[in-house]
Amino acid sequence: MLLIECPWCGPRDEQEFGYGGEAHIARPAKSAALDDAAWADYLFHRTNPKGLHFERWWHARGCRRWFNVARDTVSHEILAVYRIGEARPDIADGDR
């Protein structure tokens, strides 16, 4: 069980949250001009690292806001929590 610290509500049980996928994925500027392969790449292809991963989470049963989490996918340790729009924290994969 994860204890996730919502930037607005503080620490809460992971059951209050919904996972939203990889963080920092920008929608293509001219999405109407993309061919099927490029559109599929944007929609479906994500990194799946062993170690440090930046993710989006949604406080579904709380303030209902989205935020980002830096999490180790091996240990599930949460290394940083930060609001959408804030810069990605400078965390190296070996900083733990």
Side-chain angles (χ1 to χ4, degrees):
M1 185 75 55
L2 291 175
L3 182 65
I4 301 174
E5 184 159 346
C6 173
W8 293 272
C9 304
R12 299 289 194 270
D13 187 276
E14 76 175 290
Q15 293 177 339
E16 291 189 16
F17 298 91
Y19 177 74
E22 186 174 351
H24 308 289
I25 303 294
R27 184 181 177 96
K30 297 181 179 182
S31 56
L34 295 180
D35 63 11
D36 288 345
W39 189 246
D41 185 54
Y42 163 70
L43 290 175
F44 302 114
H45 295 149
R46 298 289 183 257
T47 62
N48 187 19
K50 180 178 180 180
L52 180 63
H53 193 237
F54 293 91
E55 307 166 334
R56 295 179 305 150
W57 286 81
W58 175 48
H59 197 175
R61 292 175 185 86
C63 64
R64 304 185 61 80
R65 294 182 180 177
W66 286 90
F67 58 94
N68 293 321
V69 171
R71 184 178 65 88
D72 184 310
T73 60
V74 177
S75 68
H76 299 291
E77 177 185 5
I78 294 177
L79 305 169
V81 176
Y82 55 104
R83 295 177 182 193
I84 299 288
E86 291 180 355
R88 180 189 306 214
D90 188 21
I91 303 171
D93 202 13
D95 280 354
R96 292 169 300 293

